[in-house]
């Protein structure tokens, strides 16, 4: 039913939850994702220990609609409403072309529950000032 423990890279491919984009941040979408079902942290080649976890936030969302392409050569889009986002910035649109780890092409359905995960490298963040 869902893709628990998977993230959608900016290239439109599903990756294990520990995957992040090469620029230090990633957008992740997974259906019904819970910490118990998340993939184990990835290891660097020849590294003796697991990578440090990156600061991240997970927001729930719903696929509001699937938008057909204006031309057959263009990909279909999925419009996702992100809960707890500012009203004017609630919806995001992504290519509705996903790929599982084994290379199988899949797509999101309307009304699918998804999680939006944003994570960043430690050097891309700073402590919040408490007021």
């Amino acid at each position: 039913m869902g893709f628990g423990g998977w993230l959608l890279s900016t290239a439109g491919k599903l990756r294990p939850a520990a995957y992040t984009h090469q620029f230090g941040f990633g957008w992740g979408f997974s259906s019904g994702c819970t910490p118990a079902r998340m993939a184990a942290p990835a290891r660097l080649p020849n590294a003796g220990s697991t990578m440090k976890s990156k600061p991240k936030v997970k927001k729930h969302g719903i696929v509001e609609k699937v938008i057909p392409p204006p031309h057959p050569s263009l990909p279909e889009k999925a419009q996702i409403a992100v809960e707890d986002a500012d009203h004017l910035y609630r919806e995001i649109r992504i290519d509705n072309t996903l790929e599982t780890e084994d290379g199988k092409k899949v797509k999101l359905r309307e009304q699918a529950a998804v999680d939006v995960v944003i994570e960043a490298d430690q050097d891309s963040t700073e402590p919040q000032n408490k007021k």
Side-chain angles (χ1 to χ4, degrees):
M1 171 147 75
F3 298 107
W6 293 93
L7 297 178
L8 177 70
S9 72
T10 56
K13 294 187 177 190
L14 285 176
R15 300 283 187 212
Y19 174 84
T20 56
H21 191 269
Q22 64 182 348
F23 299 114
F25 62 91
W27 287 73
F29 300 89
S30 61
S31 177
C33 190
T34 60
R37 292 170 43 198
M38 298 285 278
R43 291 185 181 263
L44 290 173
N46 302 323
S49 63
T50 44
M51 295 172 29
K52 289 184 178 180
S53 64
K54 296 182 178 187
K56 61 184 168 186
V57 63
K58 178 170 71 171
K59 299 291 182 183
H60 301 289
I62 298 288
V63 178
E64 285 186 330
K65 60 183 167 180
V66 174
I67 303 162
H71 189 273
S73 66
L74 298 172
E76 180 177 82
K77 299 284 185 178
Q79 180 172 309
I80 299 168
V82 181
E83 293 178 14
D84 300 329
D86 288 346
H87 179 70
L88 294 175
Y89 304 100
R90 191 170 310 262
E91 290 89 14
I92 60 171
R93 289 187 180 179
I94 62 164
D95 289 350
N96 197 12
T97 305
L98 308 170
E99 188 176 313
T100 63
E101 188 176 64
D102 60 353
K104 182 180 175 187
K105 299 276 185 189
V106 295
K107 62 182 184 175
L108 295 168
R109 293 186 216 140
E110 284 191 18
Q111 300 305 309
V114 297
D115 290 330
V116 179
V117 178
I118 303 182
E119 55 184 32
D121 286 331
Q122 290 285 347
D123 58 354
S124 299
T125 63
E126 60 185 38
Q128 286 187 350
N129 293 333
K130 293 187 178 186
K131 295 179 180 181

